[in-house]
Amino acid sequence: MACMRPAIITVVGAGLAGSEAAWQIARRGLAVRLVEMRPVRMTEAHQSANFAELVCSNSLRNAGLETAVGVLKEEMRRLGSIVVEAADRARVPAGAALAVDRDDFSKFITETLCAHPNIQVIRAEESELPAGIAIIATGPLTSPSLTAALSALIGSSNLYFYDAIAPIVSADSIDPSRVFRASRWGRGGDDYINCPMNESQYANFVQALVNAEKVPLHPFEKPIYFEGCMPIEEMARRGPMTLAFGPMRPVGLVDPRTGKRPFAVVQLRQDDHAGRIYNMVGFQTKMTYPEQRRVLRMIPGLERAEFARLGSLHRNTFVDSPRLLKPTLQLRAREDLFLAGQMIGVEGYVESAAAGLLAAINAVHLASGRAPAIAPRETALGSLVAHITDETRGAFQPMNASYGLMPDLKIRTSGKLRKIAMGERALARLDEWIAATKLGLDWNRDEQRAQARLLASASRNMKLGSFDIGTNTVLMLAVEIDADHKPRTICDCSRITRLGRGVDRNARLDPASATATLAAIEEFAARGREHGVERFVAAGTASLRDAADGAEFIRRVRERVGIELEIISGIEEARLSYLAVTRGLALDKTASLLIVDIGGGSTELIRASAGQQLETTSLQIGSVRMTERFIHSDPPSAEDTRRLISAIDDALAETGWNYQPRKLVGIAGTVTTICAVALGMRHYDAAAVHGSVLARTKVSETMELFRSRTLAERRAIPGLLEDRADVIFAGTMILDRVMERFAADEVIVSDQGVRWGLVWREIDRMRS
């Protein structure tokens, strides 16, 4: 591949750090020679020639601001990181963590870099240190020849430790009758598969680990393990209960079949988008391959496990950074040579990529005749680099991003709120540093730092999050609002938690549903804050209106998440739906319009005509409420169906509305699900659903499909979420009866409901 101009900067190694470095240099307009030895020469850990291959776990760890690595990811987003963009694109379910489909992740990075006109990719082994400005990011498995060249420059200050890789299991080989799905404390829904063990099973498993044959080391090799990647058999050797208090700890998990906490648990985390393979969490191992198959099949549920990848062991090399590197990641012995990635003693995927990002920024500065920059100590990036390049440090070991590395806050809060405050300070300082570096200001001079602070504040778009806490579903939308008051979606999350389960019957919230809803709110809020959301607005609808303990739930949200939840009336809910529809769809504003918002506990109708006042009504007919009242057979019986139709028709008749609108618009999960099923979607596509038109005949046909199938059969219908399968028939019947009542031949589908209405309401307030 030819470059547009002669190469200016050489990057050796296309792992996470090298890929990030090449991208950052190229996007700043300079040319890059990206040298990668794979597949010409493979390593003992890699399996492909793709850039940024994830050889250990598929998780980039926690995504929220309550963790330093979550803050580091958001800092990298703001700096235009290709690694974080790839992770966001390839994300798979993993609770509060950012886990990825590793193949999609590395494929995106490889294709993007290879297609960039400023990047020349060279597939060859680099055996000498490049001349001119260069970044060495060859990672812990640097080739012997390049290691020798680097050692000749820096001396024999290299250290090493061993890193173990966890096995991956094929999903269809896991016995579902012996495992259960859950995340710890209900945070993240049911993203993990859990293999429970009783005390006897655990003891036998630990003994088998200790006795298993291990991959032998060479006589001259002394194993020094990094604590975050300790092989399970090494932990077992330390003591019989080490694993039970480590990766196999059962805290926060209850086996639904027994109602009790297991003695120990092995967790499996999804490793690809399709859910075909699962990573054994924390199960790095150096057992031989035959022993891995034997011992790991002792785990309940894995008796017939097929392994897509077995674990392995490889040597990781890193340099004595406090003695060798400047805080700009330049070598003290040669200032035009930068080191980056895991070889400088940062531990973790995100940290490695972040080091490549900083090295690239400073390589560009050096090539442009500018002074290299030191990231602010208050940031996750700056504090980590300051730690590993601290000349006063004694014995040096690899380090993750940590709040403990950042300057303390002089505030009285503690715990999670203190960490979030430190994260928000980090992001503010990063924005100011970005403004300073773009304008060539010296961040270390007080007056220029103050100028950068003002510029960053003036140019920052507002980021807003909105929650719609419904009877059936929790939805969170995060948007960035520009100077023209136009919103841009940052992330859009939803989870069915069934908050309204039993409220119609008991007038109180179901404890398990309330806990699941609170966990979803907490996770989504963390995800929003990860993206820099500064403020949240939140609305609770029918279930919280009807529940006697709704105020207590609001208090729990306030104390646990720091968000003020507003219980809105049915009329306000209808107004918000109207805002969402009229701003989100290109509709003829002169035509008469009827909007139907079918929720879990209620259905809102909004009637709008040109020149007339908006009319709204809220009916106590929702998909969950109607299912609990009238559906008692599986599949629904003729009597169930007759009583359901009668109740819906009676509620519609009580409105007294008798007119035929020019346009009928349907919003919320029931209507979008009907559309997804009608379109045969296996994976929900909001862009394809939004604005679609469904004929009355298609709605009736889909309703009959739902009515004729058992619950188990409905759960297998493409486009229908399993958690919505039990209430979808009643919800579809509501839409069908609305279309009958108002003589509508078709319905326009909107994916934008109350959460969007809340955003538009806030924008209108900002304008005024």
Side-chain angles (χ1 to χ4, degrees):
M1 181 182 297
C3 288
M4 292 178 63
R5 57 181 66 86
I8 295 177
I9 299 174
T10 299
V11 176
V12 184
L16 290 163
S19 295
E20 186 67 63
W23 170 253
Q24 293 294 334
I25 296 165
R27 69 189 289 264
R28 286 167 169 79
L30 300 186
V32 187
R33 285 180 66 246
L34 178 58
V35 184
E36 169 55 50
M37 70 178 186
R38 291 177 293 121
V40 175
R41 180 184 179 127
M42 297 296 289
T43 75
E44 56 264 45
H46 290 86
Q47 295 185 338
S48 79
N50 280 344
F51 300 163
E53 180 183 339
L54 304 182
V55 299
C56 295
S57 166
N58 71 318
S59 174
L60 277 68
R61 313 202 314 277
N62 195 290
L65 289 190
E66 68 273 15
T67 65
V69 73
V71 175
L72 182 57
K73 282 194 281 287
E74 177 57 22
E75 291 176 2
M76 293 171 69
R77 271 193 198 91
R78 298 187 183 193
L79 288 162
S81 166
I82 190 174
V83 166
V84 175
E85 180 185 354
D88 288 337
R89 287 171 175 264
R91 188 169 192 157
V92 297
L98 176 55
V100 302
D101 180 309
R102 66 181 75 219
D103 292 332
D104 289 352
F105 172 82
S106 60
K107 182 181 178 183
F108 172 79
I109 292 176
T110 305
E111 291 178 349
T112 302
L113 295 185
C114 287
H116 200 291
N118 287 355
I119 300 176
Q120 178 188 19
V121 175
I122 299 173
R123 298 282 190 172
E125 181 181 354
E126 186 77 85
S127 58
E128 299 292 337
L129 297 179
I133 301 173
I135 299 173
I136 305 297
T138 45
L141 300 174
T142 301
S143 69
S145 57
L146 188 59
T147 298
L150 185 59
S151 295
L153 176 65
I154 65 176
S156 57
S157 299
N158 286 338
L159 306 174
Y160 69 90
F161 61 92
Y162 283 83
D163 198 3
I165 297 175
I168 293 177
V169 182
S170 297
D172 57 8
S173 69
I174 301 168
D175 184 352
S177 68
R178 306 208 62 190
V179 301
F180 65 94
R181 283 186 171 272
S183 294
R184 297 187 193 278
W185 312 112
R187 296 171 184 168
D190 57 358
D191 290 345
Y192 291 83
I193 293 176
N194 299 276
C195 306
M197 287 187 181
N198 59 34
E199 188 171 1
S200 174
Q201 291 169 326
Y202 173 79
N204 291 336
F205 179 69
V206 169
Q207 192 60 47
L209 285 174
V210 172
N211 295 335
E213 183 182 356
K214 318 300 190 299
V215 175
L217 301 176
H218 294 294
F220 60 85
E221 294 177 318
K222 177 184 176 183
I224 305 173
Y225 301 107
F226 179 64
E227 292 293 327
C229 278
M230 183 73 63
I232 52 171
E233 57 274 9
E234 180 67 19
M235 286 187 273
R237 189 185 63 79
R238 291 184 175 187
M241 294 302 294
T242 302
L243 286 168
F245 287 95
M248 295 179 67
R249 63 193 185 281
V251 294
L253 294 168
V254 175
D255 188 338
R257 298 165 300 178
T258 65
K260 298 179 180 178
R261 187 173 80 176
F263 184 82
V265 166
V266 176
Q267 286 199 305
L268 310 178
R269 179 180 58 230
Q270 186 173 329
D271 203 83
D272 66 333
H273 272 305
R276 296 187 300 267
I277 53 177
Y278 278 75
N279 189 293
M280 300 184 70
V281 178
F283 259 56
Q284 301 80 216
T285 179
K286 59 175 182 172
M287 290 185 287
T288 63
Y289 284 178
E291 287 290 76
Q292 286 185 52
R293 294 186 181 95
R294 179 184 68 83
V295 174
L296 297 180
R297 284 172 180 159
M298 296 174 65
I299 298 170
L302 302 187
E303 292 86 353
R304 294 179 175 82
E306 295 296 329
F307 296 95
R309 182 189 74 189
L310 287 164
S312 64
L313 183 74
H314 59 275
R315 193 177 85 164
N316 276 353
T317 304
F318 62 96
V319 303
D320 190 5
S321 293
R323 256 59 64 186
L324 300 173
L325 291 183
K326 294 183 176 183
T328 55
L329 301 185
Q330 295 167 282
L331 271 174
R332 299 180 191 277
R334 180 183 151 183
E335 293 193 346
D336 64 349
L337 186 62
F338 297 79
L339 300 188
Q342 200 167 342
M343 70 186 307
I344 68 172
V346 294
E347 177 58 32
Y349 292 149
V350 181
E351 289 87 342
S352 294
L357 193 157
L358 181 62
I361 290 173
N362 283 328
V364 170
H365 279 205
L366 193 63
S368 306
R370 297 170 58 188
I374 298 174
R377 185 67 186 269
E378 295 90 348
T379 63
L381 174 58
S383 62
L384 177 63
V385 172
H387 174 83
I388 66 167
T389 58
D390 180 1
E391 293 181 82
T392 66
R393 186 162 306 285
F396 178 55
Q397 282 292 313
M399 188 63 187
N400 297 113
S402 170
Y403 275 123
L405 303 180
M406 299 183 192
D408 200 9
L409 273 177
K410 294 180 173 60
I411 58 174
R412 294 190 174 183
T413 186
S414 60
K416 182 184 292 186
L417 292 178
R418 186 180 192 83
K419 291 177 179 178
I420 290 173
M422 292 177 74
E424 290 170 345
R425 178 189 64 179
L427 297 178
R429 292 293 177 272
L430 184 87
D431 287 343
E432 296 158 10
W433 184 65
I434 291 172
T437 54
K438 282 182 178 178
L439 295 172
L441 300 175
D442 185 351
W443 174 258
N444 297 311
R445 295 175 60 180
D446 290 344
E447 71 279 5
Q448 294 196 28
R449 184 165 61 244
Q451 184 181 351
R453 189 163 294 165
L454 287 172
L455 290 168
S457 177
S459 63
R460 190 181 298 137
N461 291 338
M462 178 184 181
K463 293 184 178 180
L464 176 72
S466 68
F467 275 96
D468 174 4
I469 314 299
T471 298
N472 195 53
T473 310
V474 177
L475 302 104
M476 191 280 289
L477 171 70
V479 299
E480 183 173 28
I481 302 170
D482 66 18
D484 296 323
H485 298 107
K486 293 179 180 178
R488 178 185 65 83
T489 301
I490 301 172
C491 65
D492 200 353
C493 315
S494 68
R495 180 172 300 147
I496 294 173
T497 59
R498 201 61 60 82
L499 180 61
R501 179 183 284 114
V503 170
D504 186 61
R505 180 176 59 255
N506 304 318
R508 296 190 68 82
L509 298 175
D510 173 68
S513 298
T515 298
T517 301
L518 186 58
I521 295 171
E522 183 175 31
E523 179 188 333
F524 291 169
R527 196 173 298 178
R529 287 174 175 136
E530 165 195 348
H531 287 285
V533 169
E534 302 154 40
R535 189 166 69 87
F536 289 96
V537 289
T541 55
S543 58
L544 289 174
R545 289 196 294 266
D546 297 346
D549 52 350
E552 169 62 18
F553 183 80
I554 289 175
R555 182 192 64 78
R556 292 174 66 191
V557 172
R558 182 190 306 116
E559 292 182 355
R560 183 159 158 180
V561 191
I563 292 174
E564 196 63 45
L565 175 58
E566 171 193 5
I567 299 179
I568 58 174
S569 68
I571 302 303
E572 179 62 14
E573 185 176 355
R575 289 196 185 101
L576 291 171
S577 299
Y578 174 77
L579 264 181
V581 167
T582 54
R583 304 285 178 86
L585 288 172
L587 299 171
D588 182 356
K589 293 181 171 55
T590 65
S592 60
L593 176 68
L594 179 65
I595 301 169
V596 55
D597 178 356
I598 303 171
S602 65
T603 293
E604 278 62 52
L605 296 176
I606 307 101
R607 177 178 176 180
S609 299
Q612 296 185 14
Q613 189 173 357
L614 193 70
E615 293 183 71
T616 62
T617 187
S618 180
L619 309 177
Q620 294 292 84
I621 51 169
S623 60
V624 175
R625 193 187 300 271
M626 293 291 97
T627 298
E628 291 182 351
R629 284 187 182 180
F630 300 111
I631 306 302
H632 305 300
S633 303
D634 185 23
S637 67
E639 179 60 17
D640 288 347
T641 303
R642 185 194 64 78
R643 293 174 63 234
L644 176 64
I645 292 172
S646 177
I648 295 170
D649 286 350
D650 287 348
L652 291 171
E654 288 177 6
T655 65
W657 292 4
N658 293 291
Y659 83 112
Q660 183 176 3
R662 284 275 304 278
K663 298 286 185 183
L664 173 67
V665 178
I667 64 175
T670 291
V671 180
T672 57
T673 297
I674 296 168
C675 183
V677 171
L679 295 175
M681 289 183 176
R682 291 199 171 273
H683 301 287
Y684 185 77
D685 183 346
V689 167
H690 188 64
S692 292
V693 178
L694 290 177
R696 169 78 190 282
T697 53
K698 178 59 73 172
V699 173
S700 298
E701 175 187 314
T702 308
M703 181 180 65
E704 179 57 27
L705 172 68
F706 296 150
R707 189 205 63 77
S708 63
R709 304 290 179 90
T710 65
L711 177 57
E713 291 169 339
R714 287 198 297 277
R715 284 176 171 155
I717 296 174
L720 177 58
L721 292 175
E722 289 188 15
D723 291 342
R724 197 181 288 276
D726 57 337
V727 300
I728 191 61
F729 171 62
T732 309
M733 182 64 79
I734 294 171
L735 177 61
D736 183 77
R737 301 315 298 168
V738 167
M739 297 182 79
E740 172 73 19
R741 170 81 185 181
F742 298 102
D745 294 328
E746 61 184 29
V747 57
I748 302 170
V749 181
S750 172
D751 180 70
Q752 300 181 2
V754 167
R755 69 196 189 286
W756 273 101
L758 288 166
V759 167
W760 287 115
R761 187 180 72 176
E762 292 304 304
I763 288 175
D764 287 346
R765 289 174 177 173
M766 289 166 61
R767 284 173 173 155
S768 62

